[in-house]
Amino acid sequence: MVTKTPKYPKPKSPQVVEEDANGTVLLERRTQRTGPPSMYQVVMLNDDYTPMEFVVMVIQEFFGKDLETSTQIMLKIHLDGRGVCGVYSRDIAATKVDQVMDAASKAGHPLQCISEPVEQ
Ligand code: TYC
């Protein structure tokens, strides 16, 4: 099979072409966004029952934060209702959520954790 190489370069991003009433052609360059977002944040939610020490331990163990950082994140969740524990690819974020939820339910705590796409 013969494949021809195009003689002109492909546009770097799609262009929207419009023509106004005077016949003027308008080109607009837009950044191409296809596919799902690439990074996800793991967000822990506050509740009234999970002990603070347990939350700090979970953040240290599953998100690799030191004691001081984990304590700060826990206090932010306690005060604001939610806090980001880490940012990962979609699969790793989902695994972190599973690990946290599993550890919490085994310990009998209602701690909740979710993952969500990072706002771009
Ligand atoms: N609010 C809980 C308490 O006062 C502590 C807590 C912090 C619970 C963070 C969950 O994600 C959480 N014991």
Side-chain angles (χ1 to χ4, degrees), residues 4 20-21 25 34 37 44 66-67 72-73 83 85 89 94-95 99 103 106-107 109 112-113 117-118:
K4 277 190 188 165
D20 70 11
V25 173
T34 53
M44 211 176 279
D66 62 25
L67 177 61
Q72 283 170 358
I73 294 172
C85 296
S89 65
T95 301
Q99 289 172 328
K106 280 185 175 135
H109 300 311
Q112 296 292 306
C113 187
V118 175

Side-chain angles (χ1 to χ4, degrees), residues 24 26 31 33-34 43 58 69-70 73 75 78 80 87 93 98 101 106-107 111 115 119:
T24 309
L26 308 167
T31 308
R33 294 217 193 288
T34 53
V43 177
V58 160
T69 308
S70 302
I73 294 172
L75 284 174
H78 178 71
D80 296 353
V87 176
D98 288 348
M101 299 293 281
K106 280 185 175 135
L111 182 63
S115 75
E119 288 285 323

Side-chain angles (χ1 to χ4, degrees), residues 44-52 55 74 77-78 111:
M44 211 176 279
L45 307 177
N46 188 38
D47 66 72
D48 291 338
Y49 305 103
T50 305
M52 291 183 171
V55 178
M74 182 280 296
I77 302 165
H78 178 71
L111 182 63

